[in-house]
Amino acid sequence: MKASAKINIKTLWATILVLVVLNVLGTFFFYRFDLTKDKRYTLSETSLQILRQVKNPLSIKIYMEGDLPADFRRLQQETKQLLEEFQAYNSNIVFEFVNPMENADESMDLMKSLYQKGLTPINITVDDKGKQSQEMVFPWAIAVYNNKEVNIPLLKNRMGASTTQKVIGSIQHLEYSIADAVNKITKDKQKKVAIIKGNGEIKEQYIAKMLLQIRENYFIGPFTLDSVAKDPNGTLNALKKYDLAIISKPTETFTDEEKEVLDQFIMNGGKTLWMIDQVAADMDSLYNQAGATLAYPRDLNLNDMFFKYGVRINPDLVKDEQGSPLKLATGEQGSATQYQDFVWKFAPLVSPESKHPIVKNLGGVKFDFASPIDTLKNGIKKTVLLQSSPYSKKIGTPAEVNLEIVSEQTSPKDYLNKGNLPLAVLLEGSFHSAFENRVLPFKDNSFASQGKPNKMIVVADGDIARNQLDKNMMPVELGYDQRSGNLYDNKDFIMNCINYLLDDTGLINIRSKDLDLPLLDKEKVYENYTTSQFITVGLPILILLIFGLVFTYIRKRKYSKQMLIKKLQN
């Protein structure tokens, strides 16, 4: 046997041996390589922890299949690749992509059932080389586990953003959206949320959508403070069984006994979400013949508590040039009333600037008659989550609020060094009791003057979690404004606040993940369409053709020489 043949056989056996060893090792060790710059396919430890909870088959149906617009094909592909990562770490996860409009006979029934489940389609305008068309897309998925079902929103709404920008934001949140849904459907509820009642808080029908959303993750129940007068210690002990207390737009003064109950709940580690109206004013009171109302300070007897914790909600109104749109009748033409859009400056439309996970990549959050918050030095860490625009200022109260303000003429000089007023603040640290070194309203043998490490969120607007009612007095989506037809990110903001305060898995931190998603400039592509098409399609084919011709030429030349040498040798 020739020496070269022996070498080839040894190389073959060595290759086979290496492959066998690698396959054997692969059965004992599991590792996936992510070669992307931003590590977009590297699942966070939180996601891996959630995947370990899936002990039985979990089915996910994604309703994005078929002839999709380019942006949604990108979202579809990213969703598929992420779910493949989930499946690689847990084989119990199975998924399929479904085209809800594939079968004309069945599509209407399917779309109707999806709509009843809250999976609303969206109509988008597709711009293809200057030609515009309308497309309907269902950017939703449904996860099913142990006869439980949960909806997964794949497209994140952002007011004023283009479809491409919405898709980019959605891809940024994709891991969070899917991991959150898997966590909801596989994890047993553990945390308890108390909705504080007894001080004129907002009625349940106006926070129904928030309550329904909370109920998906946590136990929830109303908790009245009326019993404090008869049995303050019993009320406090009952409240301590909850993990979070939500105080939503109280309108009646708190007694000192009620304040001590809330204060000691906080000292014992209870989380709190305060949504407070420090000024009495609302839109309904404006729709009268005069088109005006009086805004006046509201005394809730909470100022000393907030002061001790490190904030002060001022009894002022925030007037912001970056307000929400408002439709008003401007006159009549024949028998039809004419409506026009105006900017309502007492409803700030806040676009988050903070990089905190609670507000990162959120769209606009709508406020109504908000008040500015001052932060005080007391050793507590304070993070401003939301603030007004640079073109905003305080309006002292009492003051008349008139609809005629929509036609007011202003200039940037009117807001010089007055804007960026905090409207929502996160407080973290060991709080000192508001009753420290004071006579207690009621005797509490377990009274604590300083609490455990804790956190709370103070929002200077009681209506931020308020949903509107439709003509049938049914609640509409939280954040949806029927007057303007706009959907704001109020629901996401409120739920992010609650998840952050109660999160024990670190799920909220997935929102901090940054992905680098380079996109083509469509305008330049359209301008140089033929050139772009040649570069992306024709050039690779041309390179392959040239390579084939060169390779064939070299191969022929090489073997021609070998044949010639053999002939000469013979």
Side-chain angles (χ1 to χ4, degrees), residues 385-565:
L385 300 174
L386 297 173
Q387 62 183 14
S388 63
S389 78
Y391 301 107
S392 60
K393 63 181 180 181
K394 304 176 186 178
I395 302 293
T397 58
E400 183 187 66
V401 178
N402 199 306
L403 287 174
E404 292 181 0
I405 195 176
V406 296
S407 58
E408 176 189 45
Q409 297 296 319
T410 58
S411 70
K413 293 180 181 178
D414 298 328
Y415 300 98
L416 192 62
N417 299 322
K418 296 179 180 178
N420 297 322
L421 302 168
L423 303 177
V425 179
L426 166 68
L427 308 175
E428 297 175 286
S430 298
F431 299 99
H432 284 262
S433 169
F435 296 92
E436 186 179 27
N437 301 322
R438 287 172 53 183
V439 177
L440 298 180
F442 66 86
K443 186 179 179 181
D444 177 12
N445 293 329
S446 62
F447 175 81
S449 59
Q450 183 173 356
K452 306 172 182 177
N454 203 347
K455 46 193 174 183
M456 70 171 66
I457 294 174
V458 179
V459 184
D461 177 19
D463 291 311
I464 195 168
R466 180 189 180 105
N467 57 251
Q468 298 177 3
L469 303 179
D470 63 17
K471 60 183 179 181
N472 298 318
M473 302 304 290
M474 297 298 292
V476 301
E477 188 65 49
L478 174 56
Y480 180 67
D481 181 17
Q482 296 179 99
R483 296 187 181 98
S484 65
N486 291 328
L487 179 63
Y488 302 97
D489 266 2
N490 291 44
K491 181 178 76 171
D492 283 353
F493 171 67
I494 294 298
M495 292 311 303
N496 289 347
C497 287
I498 293 170
N499 290 339
Y500 183 81
L501 293 173
L502 290 178
D503 194 20
D504 58 348
T505 63
L507 185 62
I508 192 72
N509 291 320
I510 301 177
R511 290 176 54 86
S512 300
K513 193 172 183 178
D514 284 314
L515 302 181
D516 183 20
L517 301 170
L519 298 171
L520 290 174
D521 188 327
K522 290 186 178 180
E523 296 300 322
K524 289 184 178 179
V525 171
Y526 293 156
E527 288 175 8
N528 307 284
Y529 189 76
T530 304
T531 305
S532 301
Q533 202 170 36
F534 173 74
I535 292 173
T536 56
V537 179
L539 188 59
I541 296 174
L542 182 61
I543 292 172
L544 285 174
L545 183 61
I546 293 171
F547 176 79
L549 291 172
V550 171
F551 179 77
T552 304
Y553 172 75
I554 294 173
R555 189 168 178 272
K556 281 184 177 181
R557 188 176 177 184
K558 177 182 177 182
Y559 283 103
S560 296
K561 285 183 178 181
Q562 288 180 350
M563 292 294 292
L564 182 60
I565 292 170

Side-chain angles (χ1 to χ4, degrees), residues 17 47 49 102 125-126 215 256 394 398 461-462 536-537:
L17 181 62
S47 295
Q49 181 181 338
E102 182 178 13
T125 302
V126 180
R215 197 170 64 181
D256 286 344
K394 304 176 186 178
D461 177 19
T536 56
V537 179

